[in-house]
Amino acid sequence: MTTSPRHSGSALAAALLLATAGLTLGGPGTALAQGSSDASADTTHDAENESTPRSVWHHDIGLGYRQLASRIQALAERLKASCGEVDRPALRSEWLAAYQAWQAVRFVDFGPIEVDSRAWQLQFWPDAKNLVGTRVGARLRQDAPVSADDIAEAGVAEQGFPALEVLLYDDVMASHSLGDPLPCALAGAIGSHLVAVSDAVVADWQAFAPHYLATDSYNEATLHGAMQSLEILEDKRLGEPLGLMGAAPNAYRAEAWRSGQSVALAAASLAGLQQYFEPGLATWLDQAGHAELGDAFARQLEDTLDQAEAIDTGIVDALADHSDGDSSSPAAQQELAALYLEVAQLRALLDDQIAPALGVVKGFNSSDGD
């Protein structure tokens, strides 16, 4: 399987990095991102729901949204309990699990998640001007603690997982303790806002069922959401920070660069496609007489997820190592280049083979579901 022509330049750059290390793509086995096991316990569909791809997708995406709400609730409770006595490792673990649960359903870019820019409320990114760091820093200089209402009325740069990342990892906290009144109130307010957003998405997704299930064009909308998700993962989340898109490497273009969790979040996105998108796609392809493409997608997605989960460093560390000139440091970049190529192959399969086989035009606007 090869990448599409429009990516040949960046794919070649990645391949050259791999060639220096003699690395190969792919790998055996399957795995899920941390934080996804709870949702995977309930993946059986009722017999009457097996008839259409949308019925499978509605069920599975609903599982993903409930998993997100559950993880966010656990995070919010941990944040509230942190005032006075802070268990920073536990907080960071809860934050990552909730953030991964969001990444797993991030491919859904239509329906309830679009209401009031909820996706942006959960994650403001890209953030080229460091608005998140600036706004959170300004909140920490206020005289009075921030309330949940303040955050609900604030801009999206202050409302989501990246804002919490600043409180958990950024140098702005060097002169603060997370247990102090101002930081703790801010963290608790953000947590409460995330609970409100995720609970609303869960409820609205269920209410959305009749329209989603009755509207044929949501097949295309859901497929296009996955296509767009892989495009962003390949080009924006991996290619640009790694310097594989024609510009110099820039670690600060990566997601979650402060925490070094950019690759873990990418793996969570792939795991989400495996759990919440692939079964519905397989149903559609099987009904359309293209079951072999469903099998090919499942294999390539498994290989790509394996590659992501085998990487134990973040993009920031990989680029920092590379700049040190250490003869062994390029290995981390080469692993990331291998992941980039796996994602490119997965995207090419979905865009160039599966979508045409299903009669889906690549330029379909996922927001035009009805």
Side-chain angles (χ1 to χ4, degrees):
M1 196 181 307
T2 59
T3 57
S4 58
R6 69 176 289 268
H7 301 105
S8 59
S10 52
L12 177 59
L16 288 174
L17 282 173
L18 292 176
T20 62
L23 297 180
T24 58
L25 298 179
T30 183
L32 298 176
Q34 176 185 350
S36 64
S37 58
D38 291 350
S40 65
D42 180 17
T43 56
T44 301
H45 307 98
D46 296 335
E48 64 270 24
N49 286 340
E50 293 289 356
S51 57
T52 70
R54 291 192 307 284
S55 60
V56 177
W57 276 326
H58 188 270
H59 175 273
D60 288 348
I61 292 167
L63 287 179
Y65 281 146
R66 291 197 296 275
Q67 171 77 343
L68 172 63
S70 175
R71 291 297 192 186
I72 285 178
Q73 182 63 48
L75 170 62
E77 291 173 0
R78 176 74 67 174
L79 289 168
K80 290 178 181 177
S82 70
C83 292
E85 183 174 351
V86 179
D87 185 343
R88 190 174 292 269
L91 273 173
R92 288 177 171 178
S93 178
E94 294 283 9
W95 168 82
L96 179 59
Y99 207 170
Q100 288 177 307
W102 158 240
Q103 296 295 327
V105 290
R106 184 178 171 182
F107 71 92
V108 183
D109 59 0
F110 58 87
I113 197 65
E114 287 191 304
V115 176
D116 297 328
S117 301
R118 285 168 175 165
W120 285 97
Q121 292 184 56
L122 291 166
Q123 181 187 7
F124 180 72
W125 186 86
D127 183 17
K129 297 182 179 179
N130 191 29
L131 290 178
V132 174
T134 301
R135 299 286 174 80
V136 171
R139 289 288 188 183
L140 294 174
R141 293 191 295 272
Q142 291 184 184
D143 294 331
V146 177
S147 69
D149 288 341
D150 292 332
I151 293 301
E153 296 172 1
V156 293
E158 302 173 58
Q159 294 178 328
F161 292 111
L164 288 176
E165 183 184 18
V166 171
L167 294 173
L168 291 170
Y169 289 94
D170 198 83
D171 291 342
V172 73
M173 290 295 293
S175 58
H176 300 276
S177 167
L178 196 57
D180 292 343
L182 281 176
C184 192
L186 178 56
I190 296 170
S192 295
H193 183 71
L194 288 172
V195 168
V197 172
S198 60
D199 285 350
V201 170
V202 169
D204 289 353
W205 182 253
Q206 294 309 308
F208 186 59
H211 181 58
Y212 180 77
L213 295 175
T215 307
D216 289 343
S217 61
Y218 276 114
N219 277 6
E220 287 85 349
T222 308
L223 175 58
H224 189 273
M227 293 164 68
Q228 180 75 3
S229 175
L230 287 174
E231 179 178 344
I232 292 171
L233 178 56
E234 180 186 344
D235 294 349
K236 301 294 185 182
R237 299 170 67 184
L238 294 173
E240 286 191 2
L242 291 172
L244 298 174
M245 300 299 295
N250 185 346
Y252 297 105
R253 289 186 177 272
E255 284 179 298
W257 58 265
R258 291 177 172 89
S259 61
Q261 297 295 344
S262 50
V263 179
L265 296 181
S269 292
L270 294 165
L273 289 174
Q274 187 178 65
Q275 288 182 276
Y276 308 132
F277 172 71
E278 182 192 327
L281 177 67
T283 299
W284 191 3
L285 287 167
D286 185 60
Q287 292 176 354
H290 297 291
E292 76 287 351
L293 286 175
D295 293 340
F297 184 81
R299 290 192 300 271
Q300 181 60 41
L301 178 54
E302 183 176 330
D303 288 347
T304 308
L305 180 56
D306 286 345
Q307 177 66 30
E309 292 188 327
I311 297 172
D312 61 2
T313 188
I315 290 176
V316 172
D317 287 343
L319 294 180
D321 286 347
H322 184 67
S323 65
D324 289 342
D326 186 339
S327 60
S328 63
S329 63
Q333 267 203 323
Q334 289 152 0
E335 288 182 331
L336 289 167
L339 174 60
Y340 173 86
L341 286 180
E342 289 281 9
V343 172
Q345 290 178 336
L346 184 64
R347 176 185 171 187
L349 175 59
L350 193 61
D351 287 10
D352 301 339
Q353 296 186 52
I354 291 174
L358 294 171
V360 175
V361 178
K362 181 161 188 309
F364 179 83
N365 185 349
S366 66
S367 65
D368 294 338
D370 54 4

